[in-house]
Each structure stands twice: as C-alpha cells, then as structure tokens.
Amino acid sequence: MTDNLRGMLAILVGSTTFVGHDAAVKLVSAELPSSEIIVLRGLLATLMMGVGVVALRATMPLSILFQPLMLLRVLTTAGATVFIVLALRYLPLATATTVLQATPLMVTAGAAFLYGEIVGWRRWAAACAGFLGVVLIARPGGDFGRAAYLILLGLLCTTARDLSTRGLPKNIPSIFVATASVAAAMLSGFVILPFGPAWTAPTPWAWAVLTICAACVFVATTLMTMGLRTGEIPVVAPFRYAPVPLSVLLGYWLWGDAPDKAAWLGIMLVLGAGLYTLHRERASWKAREVRTAP
C-alpha cells in the first residue's frame, strides 16, 4: 500500500469519526454550555490520548511545543474547536459540515503555494466536483446570522491547522501532535467561560455523550494527523468530502432534516469525486511500478 493510499484511508475514517463527534456535540449542547463541553470533552480525550502516548512510547520534550509550526498547529486546533462547537449550537449539522468542507480546497491551494506540491487539473476537478456536491446537499444561503462568522473562523483555523500539520518534522509522532492539540483545545474552553452561561452538573446521559465525543476526538484527531502527514495533500484532502452523506443521514435521524433530490445528487457527486481520486491514485501507482520495473 502506498503512502497516498494509507493517507486516504486515514482521512476517510478520521473525517467520518469527526461527523459522529459533531453530531454528539450538537446533542449535548441542549444540556450543557459550550465552554463546559469543550473542557470536559477535552479532559477525557487528553487522558485517553495521554495513555496512548505512553503506551506507544511517543513522549517528546515539551520544548517541541514551542517550535513555530507546532505552536501554530496547537493554537489553530484550539481556535477551530471553540468556533466549531459554538457554531454547532446554532447551525444545522449538515450546514456546518458543508462550510467546513471548503477546507480541502483551501488546503490544496495552500499546499501548492507553500509546499510546491503539484495539483493537476483532474484533481482540481475532482475536488471542485466534491465541493459542488456538498453545496447541493446543504445549500447554505445567506441566512446564517451571527453563527456564520463562527463557522467561517472555524474554517480558517482548520485550514491553517492542516497546512501546519503537513510541515511538521517527521520525527514527531502523530499521536503526540494530536494529544498536544487536544490538550490546547481543552484549555481554550476556559477562555470563553466568562462569555457564556454558568456550568451545570452533567447528567449521566451527558457524561456518556461526552465520553463518546472524547473517544471520537482520540480516533479522528490521530488519524487525520497521520493522513495529512503521510499522503500528498492534493490526493488525500478530497476524501474529507466522503462523510458528508453521513451528516445528512444523521440530520434526518436526529433532527428530521430529510434530503431532497438535489441533496441526493450532491451525495452522488461527493462519492464520485472520492472514487475518481482513488482511481487516479491507483493509476499513478501502477504507472510508477511500470517505470521502475527492471
């Protein structure tokens, strides 16, 4: 299996897990304030991931956290967490997911500019087709209100996070990067604490949902970090589109948002773009094998 194929799989599973996480956050938002969700979820996730770091012997000196790209990665993860959790309180799940799916396009452009990665027209076409499918699914209009600023700031943070992740030295274990980022995201909850309602004692149901959120963060953050550091960004980034149909289905199941014909067309475009990108990678891999064969 090539690095790109490993990266594709990691991005696919990680981004799918993130959709489950976002749905759980939106559910528990009806009971707990955003700052409490960020802190408690982050605390549970940091403990889980800390155990993983120790078990895998992936500990690193804390001074690494102050390297420019690592510090940018940690801070943008914290910012993304705050803005996305706040936005999920006010926006439909599919709408928030749609806006965030602009990340692969922005990351692809940024990778070409910052890292000199080659982005062929076919991959640009696949990425654009996938994003068009996302737009057809949720069709975000101009009626976002104040929540629009929150999710757009979250988009900027996720783009900067992914680009900084790509530039991190390979000798820093992905799980260490993910754990440091989750810990910073947890601390960010205290920053918005004075601006929200007072904390309340979580019910057993809320604790269960928060535990699920933390487990999703563990899996998704680690796999997304691995995927962005393993494969070429123009190849792996479009696979963040694939879980969008799941957000539509969860929206229908939990909040009664039923897809219409345009949304189903969007689902087909999303899946088609991902499958075409996978086909292009397999074709490139076979071509390289032929060129290098004795």
Side-chain angles (χ1 to χ4, degrees), residues 118-132:
I118 298 174
V119 182
W121 70 268
R122 292 181 179 86
R123 287 174 181 168
W124 272 116
C128 291
F131 183 66
L132 174 61

Side-chain angles (χ1 to χ4, degrees), residues 35-159:
S35 60
E36 187 173 1
I37 293 172
I38 292 171
V39 171
L40 295 182
R41 182 218 67 168
L43 177 61
L44 292 171
T46 301
L47 291 174
M48 291 179 186
M49 299 180 77
V51 172
V53 168
V54 174
L56 296 174
R57 298 181 180 179
T59 55
M60 300 288 289
L62 292 181
S63 59
I64 288 178
L65 298 177
F66 298 98
Q67 293 182 2
L69 281 178
M70 186 67 177
L71 185 60
L72 179 61
R73 208 279 180 188
V74 168
L75 292 177
T76 51
T77 300
T81 298
V82 169
F83 295 129
I84 293 171
V85 170
L86 287 172
L88 284 169
R89 180 177 295 275
Y90 306 107
L91 293 176
L93 177 64
T95 300
T97 302
T98 297
V99 175
L100 293 174
Q101 293 315 304
T103 302
L105 290 177
M106 297 179 70
V107 169
T108 297
F113 178 73
L114 295 174
Y115 300 120
E117 295 196 13
I118 298 174
V119 182
W121 70 268
R122 292 181 179 86
R123 287 174 181 168
W124 272 116
C128 291
F131 183 66
L132 174 61
V134 170
V135 173
L136 286 173
I137 290 171
R139 295 185 301 284
D143 192 24
F144 273 176
R146 293 180 180 178
Y149 298 102
L150 296 174
I151 198 64
L152 291 175
L153 287 171
L155 172 61
L156 291 176
C157 286
T158 56
T159 301

Side-chain angles (χ1 to χ4, degrees), residues 170-283:
K170 297 292 186 181
N171 65 325
I172 305 178
S174 293
I175 192 171
F176 178 85
V177 175
T179 302
S181 301
V182 168
M186 174 193 65
L187 296 176
S188 69
F190 292 105
V191 176
I192 64 172
L193 176 59
F195 306 101
W199 286 17
T200 60
T203 63
W205 176 85
W207 275 116
V209 176
L210 287 170
T211 302
I212 293 172
C213 288
C216 288
V217 168
F218 185 177
V219 173
T221 304
T222 302
L223 288 179
M224 292 293 286
T225 303
M226 291 173 59
L228 290 168
R229 300 179 73 195
T230 300
E232 300 171 74
I233 285 184
V235 176
V236 303
F239 278 78
R240 295 186 60 160
Y241 292 128
V244 172
L246 175 61
S247 72
V248 177
L249 295 176
L250 285 175
Y252 173 71
W253 179 41
L254 297 173
W255 295 283
D257 299 326
D260 55 17
K261 292 180 179 180
W264 286 119
L265 175 59
I267 290 174
M268 295 300 104
L269 280 173
V270 169
L271 296 179
L275 290 173
Y276 179 75
T277 303
L278 177 59
H279 166 72
R280 289 295 306 167
E281 168 56 20
R282 288 174 61 89

Side-chain angles (χ1 to χ4, degrees), residues 6-24:
R6 280 192 291 269
M8 287 176 182
L9 182 61
I11 292 292
L12 179 60
V13 177
S15 56
T16 300
T17 307
F18 263 133
V19 172
H21 164 269
D22 291 348

